[in-house]
Amino acid sequence: MRLGCAHMAGVEDLLKVEPGEGGVRLVLSGRLDADAVADIWNEALGAARGKVTVDASAVEYCDGAGSALLCELRRRAGGKITGLRPEIARVFELFEGDEEPEDKSRKPVDSPLESIGRVGAEFFEDLRDQVAFLGEMVVVFATFRGGAQRLRWNDVWITFERAGVQALLVVGLISFLTGLIMAFQAAPPLRQFGVDLFVVNLVGLAMVRELGPIMTAIVLAGRSGSAFAAEIGTMKVNEEINALNTMGLDPARFLVAPRVLAGILVTPFLIVYADLLGVAGGFLVMLMRGFPTAALWQQLTSAISVHDVMAGLIKGFVFGALVAGMGCLRGLQTKEGASAVGVSTTSSVVSSIFLIVVVDAIFAVVYYVIGF
Amino acid sequence: MGDDVMIQVQDLSAGYGDTVLLEHVSFEVKRGEIFVILGGSGCGKSTLLKNLIGLLPPLAGKVLIEGGDLATASGDKRRKILRRIGVGYQSGALFGSMTLAENITLPIEEFTRLPPEAREAIAWTKLKLVGLENFTGHLPAEISGGMQKRAAIARAMALDPQVLFLDEPSAGLDPVTSAELDALILHLRDALGVTFVIVSHELASIYAVADRVIMLDKKAKGIIAEGRPQDLRDNSKDPFVHKFFHREAA
Ligand SMILES: Nc1ncnc2c1ncn2[C@@H]1O[C@H](COP(=O)(O)OP(=O)(O)OP(=O)(O)O)[C@@H](O)[C@H]1O
Ligand SMILES: [Mg+2]
C-alpha cells in the first residue's frame, strides 16, 4: 500500500494492510507506543472494513496508546486479534469483557443550528424561572410571621451595611466624575449660545432621573449581586442549600428575602448619594468657570423638582430588588461543581445589567405616558 | 400501619428526569431500628436518600415518614415532618460562614423560643457527643474533613430528631474514630430510641451497628437482598451480595 505522506517514515514497518478472507488483514509490528500509534491510527482504522483480522505477532511492545488502538480495532471493526505475545496479552486482558452500554446521559456535541435553538429555548426557560422566582418572592414577603417564618432582620442589616458601605467609594467616584465630565463637555458648546448656566440643568436632570439610578444599580450588580450569586452558589455546591431545606428552612425566606430587602433598602440611599456627588462634579466645573455658588444653586432648584428625584428613587427600589433578586436566583440555579459558581456569578452580572437597561426603558415610556 | 413503623417506602421509582435508577422499591424501617442501605457506587443510594428526605420528588410511588409524605406536604405540615428528621450529608454541608456552635444553634433558633444561652448550651452538648466540644468557635474550614463529618452529625441532632439519615458517615474517618461513631450511633439508638437510616460501605461498621440492611443494584434497579448483615454474608445466594460481603472483585 502506498502512503501519501513522505514524513511518516517507518509507517510501513508498523502497519501493513493485506487483503484477507472476506475483508482485510492488518499486520502490526514493532513498538506500538504513542508516537507510532499517532502515525498509524487513521490508517489502521480507515482500512478496517468488513471482516478484520489483526496479526499482532510481530508487536514487540505496546503501551496505553497501543492497547487503545487494539481495543478500538476490536470494538469498532469487530476485528479479531491474534498472535499477541504473552506479556502484552496479559495487559490487553484488562480490557476484555462485556462492554458497558454507553452512558446516554452524556450530551453529544451540538451543531451550530442546534446551539442557537438551545440558547433560544434556554432564554425562555430562564424567563419562566424568573417569573416563578418573582412569584415565590411575593409569597415569601406576603407570608412573614413569627417563628420559623420570620424574617431575619439581622441578616438584612448586615447585608445592607456591607452592600452599602462597600459601594460608597465606587459609586461616589463614578458619579462625581460623570457629573464633572458632562459639565466639562457641555459647557463650551452651550457657551457659544450664551446659555452655559444650563449645564446645571443638564447635569442635574441627567443625574437625578437617569444616571444616578442606573450607575448605582450597575455598581451594585457588579459588587453585591455577584457576591450574592457566589455566596449562594457555593452553598448550593456544598449541599448547604439541601441542608437548609431538610431543616425546614426555606432558602427563599432564609437567604433570598434578607438580601432582596437589603437591596431594595440600600439602593435609594446610594442613589441620593450618587445624585449629590454627580451634581457636585458639575458644580466644580462651573465654579472653575467663574459662576458663583448661589447662582448655580438657584438654577439647580429651578431645574429639578421633587418629582424628578422621586422618579429616580422609584426606579432605585425596582433596580435594587432586581439586582439582588437576580444575584440570588443565579446562585440558587447553580449546578454541580466549583466552576458552576463562576458561571452563576458572571451570569448574575450580565442578566442584571441587561434587565436594568430594559426596565429603565420601560420606566422611560411609562413616565412619559403619565407625564411624571 | 403499625405504630412501630417509622418510614414506609411504597413502590418507589427514583431517578432524574429520563434516567430511572430504581424501580418498584418497597421497604419499611421500624422505630428504633438501625437500617443500612448498601450497594455499588453509582447505584442510586444517595438518590434514594434524597427521596426519603424530600429533596427529590419520587418519579413514582410514595415515601411516608410517620405517615407523612414530604413530597406532597407543605407549610406547617412539612415543617412538622422535617423537624423530626435530621440529615448528615455525604459532604458535611456545614454552613461555611458560621461557627460550629452557630451551625447547631441555627435550627434551634428557628424552631424554638429558647433564649440564646440555652441554645448555646445545647450546641455544646451536641458537640460534646461527637467529641468536638473544644471547637465551638471554629469555622468549618478550620477543622479537618473527619471533624466536619462529626460536626454535621451533631448539627443533624440539634432538634433531637426521631430519625437520623446519614450518607456515608464513616467515609474518610480513621478506624478508631469510625468505631467511636458506631458506638455513638448505638448509644443514641439505645438511650434515645433514635431511628437510623444509613448509607454505608464500611463492612466493619455495618456488622457493628446494622439491624437490617437492604442492598441495591444498578442492573436490577432495585433491592436484591434484605436482612441481617450476618445472614446475608453467610447465606446469600446472590453472587453480587456474596462478593460484597466477602470483599471479592466482580
Ligand atoms: N443531580 C443529578 N442529575 C442527574 N443524574 C444524577 C444526579 N446525581 C446523581 N446522578 C446520577 O445518578 C446515579 C446514582 O447517583 P448516586 O449519587 O445516587 O449514587 P450512589 O449510590 O450514592 O453512589 P456512591 O456510593 O458513589 O455515593 C449516578 O450514575 C449519577 O450519575
Ligand atoms: Mg452517594
Side-chain angles (χ1 to χ4, degrees), chain A residues 169-183:
Chain A
L169 186 69
V170 189
V171 169
L173 198 66
I174 292 182
S175 306
F176 184 77
L177 289 178
T178 309
L180 189 129
I181 293 163
M182 253 197 305

Side-chain angles (χ1 to χ4, degrees), chain A residues 100 105 145 147-150 152 235 237-249 253-254, chain B residues 50 53 55 76 78-79 82 85 87 89-91 93-96 98 103 106-107 109-111 155:
Chain A
E100 293 236 345
S105 59
R145 41 190 166 98
Q149 291 277 54
R150 75 179 184 277
R152 294 173 65 87
M235 294 184 72
V237 171
N238 290 342
E239 288 192 290
E240 289 173 46
I241 303 286
N242 283 350
L244 278 178
N245 269 320
T246 46
M247 279 181 187
L249 304 177
R253 178 185 64 81
F254 193 80
Chain B
K50 275 189 213 162
I53 59 183
L55 278 179
D76 283 334
R78 183 182 168 81
R79 264 189 299 280
L82 288 174
I85 73 173
V87 186
Y89 288 87
Q90 196 164 357
S91 62
L94 295 165
F95 301 121
M98 302 181 181
N103 262 282
L106 175 73
E109 185 185 339
E110 290 288 325
F111 283 100
R155 183 183 67 184

Side-chain angles (χ1 to χ4, degrees), chain A residues 336, chain B residues 16 19 21 39-48 50 90 167-168 199 201 218:
Chain A
E336 264 101 78
Chain B
Y16 304 89
T19 331
L21 296 167
S41 191
C43 71
K45 301 181 296 293
S46 298
T47 307
L48 173 61
K50 275 189 213 162
Q90 196 164 357
D167 197 352
E168 309 209 6
V199 172
H201 293 299
K218 202 172 181 173

Side-chain angles (χ1 to χ4, degrees), chain B:
Chain B
M1 187 176 66
D3 208 24
D4 59 337
V5 177
M6 191 76 207
I7 300 168
Q8 233 181 350
V9 175
Q10 299 170 346
D11 206 21
L12 178 84
S13 292
Y16 304 89
D18 296 336
T19 331
V20 182
L21 296 167
L22 300 170
E23 274 176 331
H24 307 299
V25 170
S26 302
F27 60 87
E28 283 183 354
V29 180
K30 300 204 174 55
R31 199 175 290 276
E33 188 173 37
I34 299 178
F35 186 86
V36 174
I37 299 170
L38 303 173
S41 191
C43 71
K45 301 181 296 293
S46 298
T47 307
L48 173 61
L49 205 65
K50 275 189 213 162
N51 275 303
L52 295 183
I53 59 183
L55 278 179
L56 188 70
L59 296 180
K62 256 190 200 165
V63 174
L64 302 176
I65 297 177
E66 292 188 312
D69 187 350
L70 276 174
T72 55
S74 61
D76 283 334
K77 222 167 144 193
R78 183 182 168 81
R79 264 189 299 280
K80 220 166 123 192
I81 307 171
L82 288 174
R83 238 201 101 153
R84 300 177 69 74
I85 73 173
V87 186
Y89 288 87
Q90 196 164 357
S91 62
L94 295 165
F95 301 121
S97 58
M98 302 181 181
T99 65
L100 296 195
E102 284 166 350
N103 262 282
I104 296 172
T105 52
L106 175 73
I108 305 176
E109 185 185 339
E110 290 288 325
F111 283 100
T112 70
R113 291 177 298 102
L114 290 166
E117 256 175 43
R119 301 199 290 255
E120 271 152 40
I122 295 175
W124 190 89
T125 59
K126 302 295 175 191
L127 285 169
K128 172 88 184 157
L129 272 181
V130 295
L132 289 174
E133 70 275 18
N134 293 326
F135 295 87
T136 48
H138 282 61
L139 290 174
E142 296 167 349
I143 59 176
S144 76
M147 288 155 91
Q148 288 179 19
K149 280 208 117 129
R150 283 186 280 152
I153 293 170
R155 183 183 67 184
M157 312 226 317
L159 290 168
D160 299 325
Q162 298 297 300
V163 201
L164 266 181
F165 295 89
L166 305 177
D167 197 352
E168 309 209 6
S170 46
L173 297 186
D174 65 89
V176 176
T177 317
S178 179
E180 279 168 9
L181 186 63
D182 292 343
L184 173 67
I185 290 171
L186 285 170
H187 178 76
L188 288 172
R189 193 269 304 269
D190 296 339
L192 303 171
V194 179
T195 309
F196 282 87
V197 177
I198 304 173
V199 172
S200 178
H201 293 299
E202 304 283 316
L203 278 177
S205 115
I206 293 166
Y207 292 132
V209 301
D211 295 318
R212 210 149 55 87
V213 306
I214 55 170
M215 182 169 287
L216 303 176
D217 183 66
K218 202 172 181 173
K219 285 216 186 80
K221 292 191 178 178
I223 301 174
I224 52 169
E226 179 167 0
R228 282 182 358 108
Q230 289 82 354
D231 291 345
L232 291 187
R233 176 190 57 195
D234 300 336
N235 304 328
S236 177
K237 302 229 161 35
D238 188 289
F240 183 75
V241 178
H242 184 88
K243 281 172 188 154
F244 189 96
F245 280 99
H246 293 85
R247 303 200 63 181
E248 287 167 10

